[in-house]
Amino acid sequence: MKAIRAKYNPAHHAFAVFTALATLVVITAGALVTSNDAGLSVPDWPTSFGYLVKIPHFVGGVRYEWSHRMVAGTLLTLTLAIACWTLLVESRKWLRWLAIAAFCTVILQAILGGLTVLLLQPPWVSTAHATVAQTFFCLAVCIALFTGQKWIEEPPRVEFDTRRPSLLMLTLLSIFVLYVQLILGGMFRHHGMSWWPHVLNAVIVSFVLAWTAIRAISVYSNIEAVRRTAILLISLLIVQLCLGFTAFFTRVAWGQGAVQPELPMVASTVAHVAVGALLLATTVVLSIQVWRHVPVAFEERVSEAQQHNASVA
Amino acid sequence: MNKKAILLVSLLTLCGLLLLAACNKKENTEQSANTPQPAAAPAATPIDPATVATINGTVKFDGAAPKPAKIDMSQDPACKGANESENIVVDNGDLANVFVYVKDGLGNRTFDVPSAAVTLDQQGCKYHPHVLGVMAGQNIEIKNDDQTTHNIHPTPKDNREWNESQPPSTPAIEKSFAREEIMLPVKCNQHPWMKMYINVVKSPFYAVTDKSGKYEIKGLPPGDYTIAFVQEKLGEQDQKVTVGPKETKTVDQSFKPVAE
């Protein structure tokens, strides 16, 4: 990634940040739909009660489902705009492809949303819808990161990582366990699986993420991009664990016989989903920052560097 | 044309096609496609009306009756009146909404499916009745007497799942279920408290307990039977019973509270 050659475009970056924030809004709206069991309150798709944009009687579950569809439609437009804008102004070829990938992902996400409605919420389809949503959020955050001034104008401060497992490997492992957690959580929420695999994996996620964040903070605190992201990661992990406990107690332990979704269970679950999305995106950003600033020192590379230093001396 | 322009044009074309697909207004919401057509049933096994027996009784709740949870219907102004959960409805120890049916003992007998439909009404954002019995293939007439849109969404295990919206003042929807299924849940995704259960059976020998916990099954040929009592939260309890010709037998049952 030849970051220095690119030119910083403040408007383009601001729009990318806005698109990423809009994605979080759509994820939150989607979580509200599931938490209120309103996913099938509008039985048709892509139309809503036969119309594309006509506002229906705005009561009950329709409020959540229809609003989710509208903000998702807006996000699709925003993604198209950022993709076109990136194609027009961006000199980095890989970033242009990333913008196209983001647009394809949002289309896939819309199709999965439609299938969820038309196939009456099969757990795997609904879980795929939830997983692709967070994948798209990560892509949107990455575009915002790569179009940012710091990424473009500040040269990376490189420190070779000689520890094993490397920090990069830990961040990749963190992303993997988070994806597993996302799938297990989605399956539980959509009645395809019991709660315990999600809770069990939460222990693994906590361990791996804490290990990753502590390693980053303790060893690479002099690299601001890594330190800040790692601090955010550990903070979000703590918040997420608290929300997970709250969601478990309000929904599983106390709310199992509830006759309708109650505010504590809806609020805690929606927040758990939103913070989960932020946690995944932060881990992806940390992984990218580690890849940029803390490359893995392979033995050959170290010896080559040493040889070079020796010859210079 | 450079690569950028080609990509841009491709992206816009894709969007245009998607928009075109989305704009294709879906007018057809006929339910006929979802209505399973009952297969041609074999002729009913004759029953001698001079020998038929009756089973009746009362279903009790053995324990302190749980206080019904209040339902908050404020999210839809059209849902008026008080509403309480109907999970366990107990009045002076009598348990309502228990589905009672002949589970075993009828052998290979077949029965005519009644031509008259049973009615399921949505009124006050509640289902009436809360527990319904119907024969496989028999029509259910679903009415909406509320001034709001409901969606009817059965979530069966053995029958076909469907989900249809029913605006106010629209004709009743007629549906049937092809296969036997006990406590088939039906819900409304617009009003998440709205839940009821349909019981689909092969014989006409079933009943649902009323507010005083009473039920009656008439016209049963003499024989040995297993009578099942099914409650949505408390589960199923069975009793073996033998009825002779013209006999009226009382079979009472009681349910104990289930530990949460």
Side-chain angles (χ1 to χ4, degrees):
Chain A
M1 293 185 195
K2 295 164 187 172
I4 297 165
R5 278 191 203 169
K7 196 181 166 194
Y8 173 57
N9 183 331
H12 183 222
H13 172 61
F15 195 75
V17 171
F18 180 69
T19 305
L21 290 173
T23 308
L24 193 61
V25 172
V26 177
I27 288 174
T28 308
L32 272 169
V33 170
T34 306
S35 294
N36 285 288
D37 196 16
L40 295 175
S41 56
V42 182
D44 53 338
W45 187 90
T47 52
S48 301
F49 299 111
Y51 297 93
L52 197 59
V53 287
K54 186 185 171 189
I55 301 173
H57 191 42
F58 211 58
V59 293
V62 175
R63 294 177 302 178
Y64 303 109
E65 174 61 14
W66 192 80
S67 304
H68 178 50
R69 289 183 184 198
M70 290 305 111
V71 289
T74 308
L75 180 63
L76 200 148
T77 315
L78 288 175
T79 311
L80 175 65
I82 193 73
C84 292
W85 197 342
T86 306
L87 287 177
L88 288 171
V89 302
E90 187 53 57
S91 59
R92 291 167 288 180
K93 193 178 173 185
W94 57 268
L95 189 50
R96 294 203 298 268
W97 279 111
L98 188 68
I100 292 166
F103 181 71
C104 293
T105 309
V106 87
I107 295 292
L108 172 68
Q109 177 64 352
I111 292 167
L112 284 170
L115 288 176
T116 294
V117 172
L118 298 176
L119 301 178
L120 306 172
Q121 292 182 319
W124 277 106
V125 176
S126 300
T127 303
H129 186 54
T131 309
V132 173
Q134 299 213 9
T135 305
F136 175 76
F137 180 52
C138 291
L139 289 174
V141 167
C142 287
I143 293 171
L145 173 73
F146 297 141
T147 54
Q149 192 169 14
K150 283 196 174 182
W151 184 274
I152 293 170
E153 293 180 354
E154 285 184 12
R157 180 179 171 168
V158 177
E159 280 193 29
F160 281 106
D161 185 4
T162 52
R163 289 172 179 246
R164 293 294 179 271
S166 67
L167 185 55
L168 182 63
M169 185 55 72
L170 283 177
T171 57
L172 294 176
L173 182 63
S174 298
I175 293 170
F176 174 75
V177 293
L178 277 171
Y179 260 102
V180 172
Q181 185 67 341
L182 181 55
I183 292 166
L184 294 177
M187 285 297 283
F188 164 54
R189 256 165 88 66
H190 297 286
H191 314 289
M193 197 181 266
S194 179
W195 54 267
W196 65 263
H198 183 63
V199 172
L200 195 69
N201 194 54
V203 179
I204 299 167
V205 170
S206 305
F207 175 73
V208 174
L209 264 64
W211 185 10
T212 306
I214 290 167
R215 166 80 75 82
I217 294 164
S218 59
V219 182
Y220 301 102
S221 59
N222 54 334
I223 303 171
E224 192 193 357
V226 173
R227 188 188 69 243
R228 280 191 175 184
T229 317
I231 290 171
L232 180 62
L233 178 71
I234 197 91
S235 310
L236 285 171
L237 176 65
I238 293 165
V239 173
Q240 182 67 342
L241 284 172
C242 294
L243 287 169
F245 278 119
T246 315
F248 179 82
F249 283 113
T250 55
R251 190 168 283 273
V252 181
W254 301 328
Q256 210 151 39
V259 289
Q260 64 190 121
E262 290 164 1
L263 185 62
M265 67 171 76
V266 171
S268 59
T269 318
V270 170
H272 190 55
V273 171
V275 174
L278 283 171
L279 192 60
L280 179 65
T282 306
T283 312
V284 169
V285 169
L286 180 65
S287 180
I288 292 165
Q289 295 291 13
V290 167
W291 176 82
R292 189 181 198 210
H293 296 279
V294 194
V296 178
F298 295 105
E299 278 180 23
E300 306 79 43
R301 201 185 288 176
V302 172
S303 63
E304 275 173 22
Q306 282 169 345
Q307 282 169 12
H308 176 72
N309 289 342
S311 65
V312 169
Chain B
M1 210 185 274
N2 61 21
K3 278 184 181 175
K4 264 189 198 178
I6 292 169
L7 279 170
L8 196 61
V9 169
S10 310
L11 214 57
L12 290 170
T13 311
L14 182 61
C15 284
L17 286 170
L18 283 165
L19 197 66
L20 204 65
C23 285
N24 185 12
K25 190 182 155 189
K26 192 180 170 186
E27 299 271 14
N28 187 6
T29 52
E30 295 295 319
Q31 64 267 20
S32 57
N34 282 334
T35 310
Q37 297 299 316
T45 313
I47 295 173
D48 179 6
T51 62
V52 293
T54 299
I55 294 176
N56 59 25
T58 307
V59 180
K60 294 275 184 188
F61 184 77
D62 187 8
K67 199 177 170 188
K70 295 265 184 240
I71 288 170
D72 175 15
M73 300 198 294
S74 59
Q75 60 178 265
D76 190 341
C79 298
K80 290 171 185 154
N83 200 348
E84 289 180 335
S85 72
E86 294 173 289
N87 292 345
I88 299 174
V89 179
V90 183
D91 184 16
N92 286 326
D94 300 322
L95 187 59
N97 292 334
V98 177
F99 184 69
V100 188
Y101 75 107
V102 176
K103 187 180 180 181
D104 196 22
L106 291 165
N108 294 325
R109 284 176 187 275
T110 53
F111 304 93
D112 285 331
V113 177
S115 56
V118 292
T119 302
L120 172 61
D121 196 7
Q122 297 157 105
Q123 199 178 53
C125 296
K126 281 172 79 170
Y127 288 111
H128 304 273
H130 180 69
V131 174
L132 180 73
V134 67
M135 278 184 71
Q138 186 178 4
N139 274 348
I140 305 168
E141 186 188 45
I142 305 164
K143 289 161 60 182
N144 180 8
D145 283 332
D146 284 326
Q147 287 308 305
T148 188
T149 300
H150 290 296
N151 79 304
I152 306 104
H153 178 201
T155 53
K157 285 192 180 85
D158 302 324
N159 285 280
R160 194 142 65 91
E161 187 175 349
W162 50 270
N163 177 39
E164 273 185 32
S165 156
Q166 191 176 31
S169 311
T170 48
I173 297 172
E174 286 222 347
K175 291 285 180 184
S176 65
F177 294 95
R179 281 175 282 281
E180 191 171 47
E181 186 166 346
I182 303 301
M183 287 292 162
L184 186 166
V186 178
K187 62 181 176 178
C188 172
N189 298 100
Q190 313 226 22
H191 307 102
W193 60 85
M194 283 180 73
K195 291 183 184 89
M196 62 87 58
Y197 295 87
I198 294 176
N199 295 274
V200 188
V201 285
K202 287 179 186 164
S203 85
F205 305 121
Y206 62 83
V208 179
T209 59
D210 59 17
K211 282 182 180 173
S212 56
K214 292 194 178 351
Y215 74 93
E216 186 173 61
I217 298 171
K218 285 180 177 175
L220 201 58
D224 300 325
Y225 298 107
T226 302
I227 307 293
F229 300 79
V230 192
Q231 208 280 343
E232 63 184 86
K233 286 282 169 195
L234 305 172
E236 178 180 323
Q237 294 189 17
D238 295 350
Q239 276 201 50
K240 299 263 185 206
V241 60
T242 302
V243 285
K246 293 184 180 179
E247 189 182 7
T248 296
K249 193 161 240 176
T250 298
V251 182
D252 295 332
Q253 184 59 265
S254 71
F255 282 85
K256 286 188 175 9
V258 175
E260 289 291 330

